[in-house]
């Protein structure tokens, strides 16, 4: 079965704090892709990152970093020195050759950064 | 370079009416996907289309829902005889790539929010 779990429904942090959003996935595929999307209050989904299953290197992009661990089937997302503009719903998603044309999305984590 | 354009952004219908949601993919993209987001839930796949072809409609409800992507014009998601349970945000995404490797990055529109009274 293909499944993505984002156990944190809502998180609130004070500006400048670091915050980690958890994502745990299930798949039978050996090749698969993991994604993070951001949904700001305006509603659109903004692509943040794609990671394939063979690349376990952590990635950093400015204040954003991603920790991919196949051993625990996790693809966690950390925002360093959070800002009010980071307030959004963040979705983790999974796709692969056996998901057909579907992305499997988690239920999202709503992040509120308090000034 | 416009992104994925969806309209209307908000649509209100009474039970039994029809809802039509439109999606114009990004320039250069010929693959369109529709997803539905119910309150408190993630996005659920509905249908995948290429020009004039429905490739995968495994996520579409069996009745009242249909989708098309004509040779000219936007993709349309049509919901007939709407019920309250159809109230949701409907997102369209597009991709330039073909195949089902799962590597495609989907570019999403801002969504159409349907409210059924």
């Amino acid at each position: 079965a293909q499944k993505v779990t984002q156990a944190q429904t809502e998180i609130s942090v004070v500006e400048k704090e670091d915050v980690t959003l958890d994502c745990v996935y299930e798949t039978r595929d050996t090749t698969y892709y993991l994604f993070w999307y951001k949904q700001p209050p305006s509603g659109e989904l903004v692509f943040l990152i794609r990671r394939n299953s063979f690349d376990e290197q952590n990635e950093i992009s400015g204040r954003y970093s991603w920790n991919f661990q196949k051993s625990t089937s996790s693809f966690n997302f950390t925002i360093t020195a959070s800002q009010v503009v980071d307030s959004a719903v963040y979705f983790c998603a999974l796709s692969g050759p056996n998901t057909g044309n579907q992305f499997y999305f988690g239920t999202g984590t709503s992040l509120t950064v308090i000034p | 370079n416009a992104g994925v354009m969806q309209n209307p952004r908000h649509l209100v219908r009474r039970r039994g009416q029809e809802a039509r949601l439109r999606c114009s993919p990004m320039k250069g993209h010929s693959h369109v996907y529709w997803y539905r987001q119910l309150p408190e839930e993630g996005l659920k796949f509905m249908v995948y289309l290429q020009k004039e072809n429905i490739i995968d409609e495994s996520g579409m409800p069996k009745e009242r829902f249909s989708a098309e992507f004509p040779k000219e014009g936007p993709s349309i998601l049509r919901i007939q005889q709407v019920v309250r349970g159809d109230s949701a945000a409907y997102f369209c995404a597009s991709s330039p790539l073909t195949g089902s490797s799962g590597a495609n990055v989907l570019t999403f529109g801002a969504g159409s929010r349907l409210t059924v009274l």
Side-chain angles (χ1 to χ4, degrees):
Chain A
Q2 320 283 351
K3 186 180 178 182
V4 174
T5 301
Q6 293 180 256
Q8 304 151 307
T9 306
E10 296 180 1
I11 300 177
S12 290
V13 298
V14 177
E15 200 171 20
K16 297 184 183 173
E17 287 184 346
D18 298 348
V19 58
T20 296
L21 309 182
D22 297 334
C23 173
V24 174
Y25 62 92
E26 295 175 32
T27 181
R28 291 172 296 191
D29 291 338
T30 53
T31 300
Y32 51 89
Y33 299 85
L34 297 162
F35 302 78
W36 277 94
Y37 281 84
K38 174 182 179 180
Q39 186 179 36
S42 52
E44 76 276 18
L45 278 92
V46 178
F47 167 74
L48 295 178
I49 190 171
R50 177 185 66 189
R51 175 52 50 88
N52 78 56
S53 53
F54 294 106
D55 182 2
E56 287 195 71
Q57 272 195 322
N58 290 334
E59 181 151 343
I60 298 174
S61 176
R63 296 184 297 106
Y64 295 172
S65 62
W66 290 269
N67 182 5
F68 176 33
Q69 300 221 346
K70 284 178 81 168
S71 60
T72 55
S73 296
S74 65
F75 186 43
N76 296 339
F77 173 30
T78 297
I79 301 174
T80 303
S82 59
Q83 300 176 3
V84 173
V85 293
D86 297 327
S87 296
V89 180
Y90 291 86
F91 290 97
C92 182
L94 164 74
S95 72
N98 289 316
T99 67
N101 303 287
Q102 302 186 30
F103 275 31
Y104 285 82
F105 281 86
T107 50
T109 297
S110 178
L111 173 65
T112 301
V113 180
I114 303 164
Chain B
N1 186 16
V4 178
M5 305 301 292
Q6 289 190 247
N7 66 84
R9 290 292 310 276
H10 300 275
L11 182 63
V12 179
R13 286 287 179 266
R14 297 192 180 279
R15 281 179 297 171
Q17 292 184 320
E18 179 179 286
R20 281 186 182 231
L21 310 177
R22 290 175 291 277
C23 168
S24 297
M26 268 189 81
K27 188 175 180 182
H29 289 191
S30 56
H31 306 267
V32 166
Y33 307 76
W34 285 93
Y35 282 76
R36 176 164 64 175
Q37 182 180 26
L38 293 168
E40 311 295 325
E41 294 187 21
L43 284 81
K44 303 288 188 198
F45 170 80
M46 299 182 75
V47 63
Y48 162 45
L49 310 103
Q50 296 175 21
K51 285 283 187 182
E52 299 184 281
N53 278 312
I54 297 175
I55 307 302
D56 181 353
E57 56 182 349
S58 58
M60 288 278 270
K62 292 287 184 278
E63 297 177 349
R64 303 187 297 107
F65 284 72
S66 62
E68 63 176 6
F69 189 15
K71 188 176 180 182
E72 302 290 338
S75 174
I76 300 203
L77 179 67
R78 181 182 178 206
I79 311 172
Q80 294 178 290
Q81 298 176 323
V82 296
V83 301
R84 290 219 172 104
D86 297 333
S87 295
Y90 292 84
F91 285 91
C92 174
S94 70
S95 166
L97 297 174
T98 186
S100 59
S101 68
N104 299 342
V105 174
L106 300 185
T107 302
F108 282 86
S112 291
R113 279 150 183 83
L114 172 65
T115 301
V116 180
L117 301 177

